[in-house]
Amino acid sequence: MIRWCRFSASALLFSFLSLLLVFRYAYVVLPLVAAGLALLCVLFWIVNRESRWRLDREDGAFLLALLVFAAVWLGDVWRTGVWPVGEGNQGVGLPLWPVLAALVLVAWRQAPPRPGFWWWGVALGAFLAGGLAAYEHWWLGRWRVGNGINAIPFGNLALLLGSLSLAGLVSLSSARNGLRLALGLATAGGLLASVLSGTRGGWVVFPVLALIVLLAFHATRPRWGRFRGSMVGLVAVLVAMLLAMSLIPGVPVKGRLSQGVANLQEYAGGDAGSSLGVRLEMWRAGWQLIQARPGLGWGEGRLEAQRDAWVEEGRFHSGISRYDQLHSDLVDTFARRGVPGLLSLMALYGVPLWLFWRHWRKSGDDQTRALALCGVLIVVGFVGFGLSQSMLRDVRGLSGYLGLIVGCWCLVKGRCRSVPG
């Protein structure tokens, strides 16, 4: 049973990573299948007492962060009677997703996926995202690509998959040439998809992610200094490649940057109707909502009602009423669920970040350190993305974050048991 559960976990993790941005319903189909199989495995182990549970204090902290975030969100739904719907009414069950993630974590800790499925899944997912973006932009003539979904989460997730590929390329000193080539192509594919999506927030976050990878490389340099020259050269090539992608005629980078500057000038002049102007107005409204009710927040539905009432009074631009969120996970969560919501969000970020960083710093195994580095990049990436977009209120954003951190954590802990010392 353990072997079957481990194989299914590996296959589902690979499928989730590779299809998240390619198959439109991968964000919901694969997690539900994973949760269903996880429940069957857990029930079988409970009934048959097949083996001892592998959960420890670190797992308990991870599970607590997931369940507290879900509990606070569900408590908000209970007090208001309103469920979040998300873009296109696709996010009705969002508050329950961390519970499903906790169930999958329990099962996958007992039968963890194999690391190879992670690396090949990340590589294929980033590469396919880049290929799809190129097809949409140069063949279909779309200025901003997104595979039929919001271009912002598409570009952010593609960039993150490319960054994870870069982490594997730099960190896995014993990887075979085939995997190295795949990770190199995937890094380029993820960056290309981000560039063609026109997602400006991701371009701000990428230098931070690249710096973390370089610092991690520098810290491990004494172990495999012979790779230093080639890796530094590779990173330089990737940076040059990113700049080259940005300068290709027709690519939205220059236009999006120019548009951002013009939007700021318009907003300073009193015109808040532009894309960036409306976002700044949402943040301004969010801050006033927080000041009015910092304790428990306004709640699902009530936040939108108060915001729209202020719009009718002429306090904010009417464009902010088109959205069901405030374009910032931090601002939206604080304004909607108050201090408890803010603390639960900090735990959802902070607990995994601390645990991944701890394993990266203490482990003496290259594979474990590479996986732990990926965990750090995932959390830092979503923190950065969430400053200018409510990624955790987006169906693919929340699914992507939970799937990535849970899968990566189970791999890290699985390596800890298999590596001596």
Side-chain angles (χ1 to χ4, degrees):
M1 186 65 178
I2 291 288
R3 290 183 179 180
W4 181 85
C5 290
R6 187 172 190 183
F7 171 78
S8 65
S10 299
L12 284 167
L13 180 60
F14 171 81
S15 301
F16 180 78
L17 294 168
S18 58
L19 298 179
L20 179 60
L21 297 177
V22 179
F23 174 46
R24 185 167 296 186
Y25 301 106
Y27 75 92
V28 62
V29 172
L30 294 172
L32 288 178
V33 171
L37 292 178
L39 179 60
L40 291 176
C41 291
V42 169
L43 291 176
F44 179 84
W45 293 325
I46 292 176
V47 171
N48 293 275
R49 299 180 181 179
E50 185 171 301
S51 60
R52 295 178 58 186
W53 294 100
R54 298 183 176 181
L55 300 176
D56 56 25
R57 291 182 180 179
E58 289 184 332
D59 298 308
F62 208 116
L63 289 169
L64 185 62
L66 292 172
L67 295 177
V68 166
F69 186 78
V72 172
W73 202 345
L74 288 170
D76 189 51
V77 170
W78 174 78
R79 70 168 174 147
T80 60
V82 179
W83 283 81
V85 296
E87 185 176 355
N89 295 327
Q90 299 179 36
V92 175
L94 283 177
L96 295 172
W97 285 52
V99 179
L100 298 180
L103 176 61
V104 172
L105 188 151
V106 171
W108 285 13
R109 277 289 289 112
Q110 196 75 356
R114 299 185 184 278
F117 286 81
W118 169 271
W119 296 117
W120 284 105
V122 164
L124 183 58
F127 181 77
L128 290 177
L132 180 62
Y135 168 75
E136 287 193 2
H137 182 75
W138 283 298
W139 184 262
L140 300 182
R142 295 173 183 169
W143 190 51
R144 295 186 66 186
V145 304
N147 193 26
I149 63 178
N150 190 310
I152 296 176
F154 176 85
N156 285 339
L157 289 170
L159 179 66
L160 183 57
L161 289 175
S163 300
L164 297 179
S165 300
L166 177 61
L169 186 63
V170 171
S171 301
L172 295 175
S173 58
S174 59
R176 296 182 178 179
N177 291 334
L179 179 57
R180 284 188 178 281
L181 176 61
L183 291 172
L185 293 174
T187 303
L191 294 178
L192 179 63
S194 174
V195 167
L196 296 181
S197 73
T199 307
R200 292 174 298 209
W203 304 339
V204 176
V205 175
F206 177 69
V208 178
L209 300 180
L211 179 61
I212 292 173
V213 173
L214 287 174
L215 291 175
F217 164 75
H218 177 75
T220 57
R221 182 176 57 186
R223 298 185 182 183
W224 46 294
R226 63 185 183 278
F227 292 102
R228 180 178 62 179
S230 59
M231 289 298 102
V232 171
L234 177 60
V235 171
V237 169
L238 290 173
V239 172
M241 186 183 302
L242 180 61
L243 293 175
M245 292 176 184
S246 305
L247 297 175
I248 296 175
V251 168
V253 172
K254 185 177 180 180
R256 290 283 290 164
L257 293 177
S258 300
Q259 184 185 65
V261 173
N263 290 169
L264 286 174
Q265 293 173 342
E266 292 167 1
Y267 188 76
D271 182 5
S274 64
S275 172
L276 187 55
V278 169
R279 185 169 301 187
L280 292 172
E281 281 289 275
M282 284 191 280
W283 296 346
R284 189 165 70 90
W287 177 241
Q288 293 195 20
L289 288 165
I290 291 169
Q291 289 179 307
R293 289 189 181 179
L296 295 177
W298 291 86
E300 293 290 342
R302 298 175 185 173
L303 181 148
E304 291 85 349
Q306 182 60 45
R307 176 201 63 191
D308 293 345
W310 283 348
V311 168
E312 291 181 1
E313 295 173 5
R315 296 173 61 175
F316 301 101
H317 192 276
S318 60
I320 69 174
S321 296
R322 298 196 304 265
Y323 302 91
D324 68 339
Q325 39 94 358
L326 296 176
H327 263 279
S328 169
D329 279 318
L330 184 66
V331 174
D332 189 275
T333 303
F334 197 179
R336 199 177 297 271
R337 300 194 284 278
V339 172
L342 179 63
L343 293 177
S344 69
L345 178 63
M346 294 298 99
L348 190 66
Y349 288 146
V351 171
L353 180 60
W354 166 248
L355 293 174
F356 283 125
W357 173 255
R358 182 182 180 188
H359 278 272
W360 179 86
R361 187 167 52 88
K362 290 187 175 182
S363 177
D365 173 58
D366 281 349
Q367 183 75 251
T368 305
R369 289 172 66 89
L371 291 167
L373 176 60
C374 285
V376 171
L377 294 176
I378 293 165
V379 179
V380 172
F382 266 87
V383 170
F385 301 150
L387 293 176
S388 58
Q389 170 71 10
S390 296
M391 289 289 291
L392 300 185
R393 287 185 69 84
D394 178 89
V395 287
R396 285 173 184 80
L398 183 62
S399 176
Y401 180 69
L402 295 176
L404 286 167
I405 61 170
V406 167
C408 191
W409 175 247
C410 293
L411 287 168
V412 168
K413 293 294 286 186
R415 289 291 301 179
C416 290
R417 288 184 62 89
S418 63
V419 177

